Amino acid sequence: MDSYGDWLRGRTDDQLCALVSARPELITPVPADLGALAARAAAPSAVSRALDRLDRAALAVLEAVAVLPSPTLTALKKALGARSAEVVERLRDLGLLWPGPSRSLRLAPGVRAALTHPAGLGPSARETLAALPLERLLELAEDLGVSTAFASAPGLAESLAERLADPGPLVEDAGPEARAALEHLAWGPPTGRIDNARRRVGLAEARSPVDRLLARGLLIATDDRTVTLPREVGLYLRGGVLFREDVITAPVPSGTRRPQRLTDQIASGQAFTLLRLTEELLEHWGVRPPPVLRGGGLGVRELRAAAGRLDLTERDAAIVVEVAHAAGLLDRDGGSSEWLPTRSYDLWLLRDAAARWTELAGAWLETDRVPGLVGERDDRDRTINALTDGNIRSSAPRVRRETLAVLPEGVAPDEESVLRALAWRNPRRASGLHDRLVSWTLHEAAFLGVTGFGARASYAGALLSGGDVAGELGALLPEPVDQVVLQADLTAVAPGPLVPDLARELALTADVESKGGATVYRFTPESVRRALDAGRTVSELLDLLARHSSTPVPQPLSYLVEDVGRRHGRLRVGTALSYVRCDDPAALDEILADRRAATLRLYRLAPTVLASRLSRQDLLESLRSVGFSPVPESPEGGLVVTRTDARRAEPPARPPVEHEHVVDERVAAAAIRALRAGEEAASVGAPEGEPPRTPSISLIEELRAALGTRLWIGYLDQQGRASSRIIEPVRVDGGFLTAYDQTRASIQRFALHRITGVRKI
């Protein structure tokens, strides 16, 4: 085959479908013909994207083809091992390798230019010498004893390259110090920097190791400060070996083996903890939402407060916040001034625990937000806050999937071995940010319950593949209970996870005292008052406790609820600036007589009304701080009820998650058909001569009679410019001809009055 395009034309339709499926950018949009496809495949951007998808084995094969003097399959097997044959087939399917003469392999156009220092070797001596001026070539030829009878630059470069083809004697003659200097460049990069690299030092006058190397052509100065090690010299120093280690076999992360049962227990326990933390945070923010910063995001102070409430580090609190936001459970309110749970959060609470975790873990897996960046500094040395655009990284979803996919079954690998395995799978994508994303992914996976003790949970595979995560996880999670054990010391013990309704009511009525396998709640006057403030009545609270207690309600707890309820609401606070109203004048006398209330500056307006200069909220809090239980009153005299779920933001409109473009098989097949048709049209071409002319009276009849055949038509565009097309008519109606235009490889509509003539071909 004479060209890369000819080789593509010889591929079967199935092979071309495999090519465009693996490299979808080649048919976006569909080229006119296979020649255009070959040109697009050789474009630097297309080559770079293809190389970015390759693992270390595939890149090593390409590098070997670039540096071997005779890159045949046999030579590759000798240099890289027998398994390199499989890689060659893969690269051929990707259109990055194609056959050359005498069973050799050739790089696709553009690939060689994209490989910087393949295999860590420099350019060949012939390439390097060809760039030198004639004066320098003459000096080098004189030092090496090469004839200068034909003193042309190409001839001298060729003669010197032949002299350097076997550099062994020159290396040994340069001495051990010079060889040691070469060893620093042997395994790459093959370039170094020295001062005045092009100074002239003859072979006899050379004293320093570098001067001896330059005089013998073992190092070649490409500019005043850069020297390059020719490929032949590098291969000699390596003993003919291209790579130090096995680059064909994928490394497997190593670490401590973990029993799968233990891994699943730890992971599922952490998964349940994540649900509890998310609910606790969003329930609190539903009542006391944090403000949105002027530049967007969540303030450092608010994140620190959330971490303290959840008993987490700020790093882990940021994970809870970011994952809740990614799942659509947390967003700005309509005025964009506060962060609130969304209405989707209430629907999320109605689902079982496994389904709720699946939604959170799936959102984490797909989001481009990186919680690990929270608290760090950006390029302008500003702090990156949670929930801002500053922690968005488009590569995060891909890195998370790749990191979880590389974890072996039943093994908790160390981070270094995971990084090595990922560097082999994506060598061109490895970077400082990539490594940090991997480290953050491992930590976040453990925090979310995707891994346990560092090993991958059994349901993590279903999470990656989109399988039945809830079914697998549900069997591991404890069943929610709807009973608690009430005790005489004003505590309640929940022996397991509570059903959502009971958990919310109990969190409203009591304070969490300790967490773990069993959660202990403590009832206090303040917690009971909190439930009454939220609109619950004494009878409703006692009925709730009686229904969900496995033992009778202890008498001290009943007394506590009834006592707080008896005093609750007797005092009412409104705005005068504010006032206190009570039907019992004796209660107001008690307030006025209390020394602690002296700072409130209360004065009597009537036997049942006290007024104050404080605001209603300040007066409420002040009275509560000295032991009273007032409630707020509306301007109409009604009770103002505050509910924990009263405030919600609208669910955000989430854009679809963009994965790497995948070509459907039918789309690929249609694209190949269009390419073949375009190739055929290009080969047939328009007949010689002027475009046909046909009387308008017979034009429509000829078109209708020619449906399904190939026609050559003359056509005028909207500017009146004449052109000719090769078409296959489909139908004629409404003043238009619908036909497959082979010259453009697409379906087109032609206005009948613009068609100048028709001829069958």
Side-chain angles (χ1 to χ4, degrees), residues 199-543:
R199 67 185 182 279
R200 170 75 170 105
V201 179
L203 192 61
E205 296 83 13
R207 294 291 181 266
S208 71
V210 173
D211 287 342
R212 293 199 294 270
L213 295 173
L214 289 169
R216 287 169 173 79
L218 299 174
L219 285 179
I220 298 176
T222 53
D223 59 42
D224 291 337
R225 297 180 58 84
T226 306
V227 292
T228 300
L229 182 71
R231 182 184 304 160
E232 293 84 351
V233 181
L235 284 172
Y236 171 78
L237 295 171
R238 296 182 182 187
V241 178
L242 290 181
F243 301 99
R244 282 177 170 174
E245 69 282 339
D246 178 13
V247 293
I248 299 297
T249 305
V252 178
S254 58
T256 307
R257 183 159 292 278
R258 305 287 191 194
Q260 191 63 53
R261 181 178 178 184
L262 178 61
T263 296
D264 288 346
Q265 287 177 345
I266 298 298
S268 60
Q270 187 60 34
F272 191 81
T273 300
L274 173 69
L275 298 180
R276 178 182 59 79
L277 294 171
T278 304
E279 292 173 28
E280 184 176 346
L281 179 67
L282 296 186
E283 289 291 339
H284 177 65
W285 280 2
V287 181
R288 294 180 176 86
V292 178
L293 295 177
R294 183 183 302 176
L298 181 70
V300 174
R301 182 185 305 172
E302 286 73 22
L303 179 63
R304 188 178 299 120
R309 183 175 187 83
L310 300 178
D311 194 20
L312 297 173
T313 64
E314 292 183 34
R315 176 188 185 187
D316 290 339
I319 298 175
V320 177
V321 171
E322 290 286 358
V323 170
H325 178 63
L329 309 181
L330 173 69
D331 213 306
R332 299 178 176 188
D333 64 354
S336 298
S337 60
E338 293 175 322
W339 292 104
L340 286 169
T342 66
R343 299 189 186 279
S344 298
Y345 168 66
D346 297 310
L347 299 176
W348 178 78
L349 286 175
L350 300 177
R351 307 174 68 181
D352 61 79
R356 281 182 283 151
W357 183 87
T358 302
E359 189 170 340
L360 291 178
W364 166 76
L365 192 63
E366 302 297 343
T367 184
D368 55 4
R369 308 188 67 84
V370 181
L373 286 170
V374 174
E376 298 205 350
R377 314 293 292 186
D378 61 13
D379 295 339
R380 299 182 180 179
D381 199 34
R382 297 178 302 185
T383 301
I384 299 176
N385 294 94
L387 303 178
T388 61
D389 292 342
N391 58 16
I392 292 177
R393 298 294 183 274
S394 59
S395 59
R398 173 181 54 78
V399 173
R400 290 193 191 104
R401 286 186 169 275
E402 292 172 351
T403 302
L404 294 179
V406 83
L407 299 181
E409 294 285 342
V411 174
D414 60 89
E415 186 175 317
E416 288 300 321
S417 66
V418 173
L419 289 173
R420 284 195 300 270
L422 290 173
W424 186 91
R425 283 162 175 77
N426 294 290
R428 284 172 58 92
R429 287 173 171 169
S431 64
L433 175 62
H434 177 273
D435 291 352
R436 298 176 72 198
L437 287 173
V438 171
S439 178
W440 290 330
T441 296
L442 293 174
H443 174 78
E444 292 164 10
F447 180 79
L448 269 64
V450 181
T451 62
F453 267 157
R456 203 172 77 172
S458 59
Y459 49 83
L463 178 65
L464 289 173
S465 62
D468 184 17
V469 182
E472 295 188 34
L473 178 60
L476 299 170
L477 292 176
E479 286 292 330
V481 299
D482 61 355
Q483 295 288 309
V484 296
V485 179
L486 297 178
Q487 302 183 109
D489 62 349
L490 300 181
T491 61
V493 179
L498 298 175
V499 295
D501 288 345
L502 177 58
R504 296 183 73 181
E505 292 298 323
L506 203 56
L508 179 65
T509 312
D511 298 323
V512 176
E513 190 169 79
S514 66
K515 304 171 184 176
T519 304
V520 178
Y521 295 86
R522 177 165 294 279
F523 297 91
T524 64
E526 291 76 16
S527 67
V528 174
R529 189 188 67 206
R530 184 172 64 227
L532 296 174
D533 286 344
R536 311 304 189 266
T537 64
V538 171
S539 60
E540 287 175 344
L541 292 180
L542 292 175
D543 180 62

Side-chain angles (χ1 to χ4, degrees), residues 63-135:
E63 291 173 348
V65 172
V67 300
L68 288 176
S70 179
T72 62
L73 187 57
T74 303
L76 285 176
K77 289 181 179 179
K78 183 178 178 181
L80 302 176
R83 291 188 56 196
S84 57
E86 305 171 11
V87 183
V88 168
E89 286 302 317
R90 179 153 53 99
L91 292 170
R92 190 179 283 131
D93 291 340
L94 291 172
L96 298 174
L97 279 182
W98 63 293
S102 303
R103 297 188 177 181
S104 65
L105 296 168
R106 290 188 282 194
L107 296 175
V111 173
R112 187 180 298 273
L115 297 175
T116 304
H117 304 318
L121 293 168
S124 66
R126 181 174 286 101
E127 296 174 53
T128 310
L129 291 167
L132 297 182
L134 178 59
E135 179 183 359

Side-chain angles (χ1 to χ4, degrees), residues 558-573:
S558 298
Y559 285 169
L560 173 67
V561 174
E562 291 171 354
D563 183 56
V564 174
R566 186 168 47 253
R567 292 184 291 112
H568 184 268
R570 291 177 62 195
L571 301 180
R572 299 198 174 192
V573 174

Side-chain angles (χ1 to χ4, degrees), residues 162-175 179 182 213 216 218 232-237:
E162 293 176 1
R163 180 73 175 84
L164 292 172
D166 181 17
L170 293 172
V171 173
E172 299 305 322
D173 185 56
R179 182 181 182 117
L182 289 177
L213 295 173
R216 287 169 173 79
L218 299 174
E232 293 84 351
V233 181
L235 284 172
Y236 171 78
L237 295 171

Side-chain angles (χ1 to χ4, degrees), residues 434-732:
H434 177 273
D435 291 352
R436 298 176 72 198
L437 287 173
V438 171
S439 178
W440 290 330
T441 296
L442 293 174
H443 174 78
E444 292 164 10
F447 180 79
L448 269 64
V450 181
T451 62
F453 267 157
R456 203 172 77 172
S458 59
Y459 49 83
L463 178 65
L464 289 173
S465 62
D468 184 17
V469 182
E472 295 188 34
L473 178 60
L476 299 170
L477 292 176
E479 286 292 330
V481 299
D482 61 355
Q483 295 288 309
V484 296
V485 179
L486 297 178
Q487 302 183 109
D489 62 349
L490 300 181
T491 61
V493 179
L498 298 175
V499 295
D501 288 345
L502 177 58
R504 296 183 73 181
E505 292 298 323
L506 203 56
L508 179 65
T509 312
D511 298 323
V512 176
E513 190 169 79
S514 66
K515 304 171 184 176
T519 304
V520 178
Y521 295 86
R522 177 165 294 279
F523 297 91
T524 64
E526 291 76 16
S527 67
V528 174
R529 189 188 67 206
R530 184 172 64 227
L532 296 174
D533 286 344
R536 311 304 189 266
T537 64
V538 171
S539 60
E540 287 175 344
L541 292 180
L542 292 175
D543 180 62
L544 171 75
L545 297 174
R547 280 187 290 110
H548 294 287
S549 175
S550 58
T551 59
V553 178
Q555 194 175 56
L557 180 57
S558 298
Y559 285 169
L560 173 67
V561 174
E562 291 171 354
D563 183 56
V564 174
R566 186 168 47 253
R567 292 184 291 112
H568 184 268
R570 291 177 62 195
L571 301 180
R572 299 198 174 192
V573 174
T575 52
L577 284 180
S578 60
Y579 63 85
V580 181
R581 185 173 68 83
C582 182
D583 295 335
D584 183 5
L588 300 183
D589 292 339
E590 181 184 353
I591 295 176
L592 292 174
D594 195 322
R595 292 181 179 179
R596 294 173 299 175
T599 58
L600 304 183
R601 292 198 240 170
L602 296 170
Y603 54 95
R604 208 167 206 136
L605 295 180
T608 58
V609 180
L610 299 178
S612 172
R613 296 181 182 274
L614 299 179
S615 66
R616 185 177 70 175
Q617 186 62 34
D618 290 341
L619 184 57
L620 269 172
E621 294 177 357
S622 299
L623 287 172
R624 287 172 177 173
S625 68
V626 297
F628 297 100
S629 299
V631 295
E633 187 174 64
S634 68
E636 295 79 18
L639 182 67
V640 176
V641 175
T642 57
R643 299 181 60 88
T644 58
D645 57 353
R647 301 193 61 191
R648 290 291 185 263
E650 290 299 324
R654 299 288 181 187
V657 179
E658 294 185 3
H659 296 289
E660 189 164 352
H661 183 50
V662 178
V663 178
D664 183 83
E665 292 182 3
R666 293 171 296 179
V667 173
I672 299 307
R673 179 181 179 276
L675 288 169
R676 294 290 191 196
E679 193 71 16
E680 184 179 356
S683 62
V684 172
E688 295 182 0
E690 293 293 326
R693 293 281 181 177
T694 303
S696 57
I697 299 177
S698 60
L699 179 64
I700 297 178
E701 282 73 13
E702 289 192 28
L703 289 173
R704 287 175 174 166
L707 296 180
T709 63
R710 184 182 297 163
L711 298 177
W712 177 31
I713 67 170
Y715 193 69
L716 297 175
D717 61 17
Q718 294 183 354
Q719 286 72 38
R721 292 173 297 199
S723 63
S724 60
R725 311 283 183 88
I726 305 297
I727 65 169
E728 293 179 13
V730 176
R731 66 175 179 270
V732 179

